[in-house]
Amino acid sequence: MSQYKFITLMDRISQTQTLGTSGVAGLRRLGLQFKAANIVSGSAVFKVQGTTNGADWSYLALIDNLANSNSQTLARVLSKTLSANSNVLMWVDEGLSLRAIRVSATITTDGSYSAYLMASE
């Protein structure tokens, strides 16, 4: 039976940051939860980068739960904007073998933002 890991990458940040780096070598089914709270008029744009060697980082297209016109393909996005108190789940394509990921949040005005990683071993 698979064991699942839950890792906090960002915890209630309120300023633009790139952090939340986590090693993911050997982990499968990488999922991310982005959360926004205490928003009056602000927003945050979340982006995720991955690396295979620990030095060269590339932005990842995440699988989103967006409705799309082609029911045979998954919707992939390079960023996710949260502009209301909410949370979303997104997934990394299972075919990617990554050494590490990191999350950035570009924040405007106000709010408190968090990011969490879920993965199976």
Side-chain angles (χ1 to χ4, degrees), residues 15-79:
Q15 295 180 345
T16 295
Q17 295 184 37
T18 298
L19 53 103
T21 302
S22 178
V24 295
L27 298 179
R28 302 174 339 136
R29 297 186 185 121
L30 301 178
L32 295 148
Q33 180 179 24
F34 301 131
K35 182 177 179 182
N38 304 317
I39 294 175
V40 175
S41 62
S43 66
V45 178
F46 288 94
K47 293 182 180 181
V48 178
Q49 292 177 298
T51 181
T52 57
N53 62 12
D56 301 312
W57 293 88
S58 298
Y59 285 101
L60 302 177
L62 301 174
I63 299 169
D64 198 352
N65 290 325
L66 293 172
N68 65 20
S69 60
N70 185 348
S71 62
Q72 297 163 343
T73 62
L74 298 170
R76 288 177 170 78
V77 297
L78 289 173
S79 65

Side-chain angles (χ1 to χ4, degrees), residues 33-37 44 46 82 84-88 112-116:
Q33 180 179 24
F34 301 131
K35 182 177 179 182
F46 288 94
L82 299 181
N85 296 339
S86 60
N87 68 78
V88 297
S112 174
Y113 304 91
S114 303
Y116 307 96

